[in-house]
Amino acid sequence: MFPLNSAGMVSGLVCGVLFGFVLENAGFSSPRKLTAQFKLSDWSVFKVMFTAIVVTAVGLWALRALGLMAPDTVFVPPALVMASAVGGAMVGAGFAIGGYCPGTSVVGLASGRLDALVFIVGLLIGTVAFAGLYGPAIRSVMAMGEIIDGDTLTDAYGFSELAVLAVLGGTLVAVFQLGFWFERRSTGPVTAQQVMAGAE
């Protein structure tokens, strides 16, 4: 059986290696890429990741529509609004401070970056600390804002899947346009001296 059809460790390892290869070739193993995103001067990370989300959403919808995939094949975690907001803010702060996310830190370490190793050590310490402190107080915070009617916009609010995909597609176009605008502002107009320097 082809490894990607397996639900075991082989499938995860193959997908992880392929994902790391793509990240490295896209230049995402450099912390400058991620920190530049927070400075709004380089939108490469956001554009790549958001494009992947939209393409995946359309692909999963098409596979279900064609009857090639059962509707309940993909696991959707519970919609915990507060947990997502708090966790997203903390993880985002870690991205901005450390210059890596969990995936790019592993790629950076594989590329020989020692700062990525420091980030991974901090990531492991934080994970162990959270597991040790996890208890009723944290569980109560995580349960706040839970959407019990469903874990997707379609299940919870009855939105059409096509409408959700259309909004995602429109947002993707807006992200690219906004990214180009910010990137042009951060680099400034090209001067004659820069053109001559590039020609040399």
Side-chain angles (χ1 to χ4, degrees):
M1 179 182 292
F2 188 65
L4 293 180
N5 292 331
S6 169
M9 294 178 61
V10 175
S11 176
L13 180 62
V14 172
C15 290
V17 170
L18 292 174
F19 183 60
F21 177 79
V22 172
L23 288 179
E24 171 62 26
N25 281 270
F28 290 175
S29 63
S30 171
R32 294 186 180 90
K33 276 285 185 184
L34 200 54
T35 53
Q37 176 65 72
F38 285 94
K39 295 176 182 177
L40 302 179
S41 60
D42 186 342
W43 285 53
S44 300
V45 175
F46 195 14
K47 288 188 285 189
V48 168
M49 294 303 181
F50 200 82
T51 300
I53 291 172
V54 175
V55 171
T56 301
V58 173
L60 291 175
W61 172 83
L63 289 174
R64 290 196 305 272
L66 294 173
L68 300 176
M69 186 178 73
D72 58 349
T73 300
V74 178
F75 170 74
V76 180
L80 303 172
V81 177
M82 181 58 70
S84 298
V86 174
M90 295 179 68
V91 171
F95 288 6
I97 295 170
Y100 291 103
C101 71
T104 57
S105 65
V106 175
V107 176
L109 179 61
S111 302
R113 295 180 177 272
L114 293 181
D115 57 338
L117 175 61
V118 175
F119 185 91
I120 292 174
V121 171
L123 177 67
L124 294 175
I125 293 174
T127 302
V128 172
F130 177 81
L133 295 173
Y134 189 78
I138 295 179
R139 280 198 297 271
S140 63
V141 173
M142 292 181 61
M144 293 174 61
E146 180 179 4
I147 302 175
I148 60 176
D149 295 331
D151 300 325
T152 66
L153 292 173
T154 300
D155 294 337
Y157 302 110
F159 294 144
S160 166
E161 285 190 89
L162 288 177
V164 174
L165 292 177
V167 170
L168 283 175
T171 306
L172 179 62
V173 174
V175 164
F176 270 81
Q177 293 300 320
L178 197 61
F180 289 143
W181 185 79
F182 273 105
E183 288 167 353
R184 284 196 302 268
R185 282 178 60 88
S186 64
T187 55
V190 179
T191 63
Q193 290 83 356
Q194 290 174 321
V195 173
M196 294 299 295
E200 293 174 359

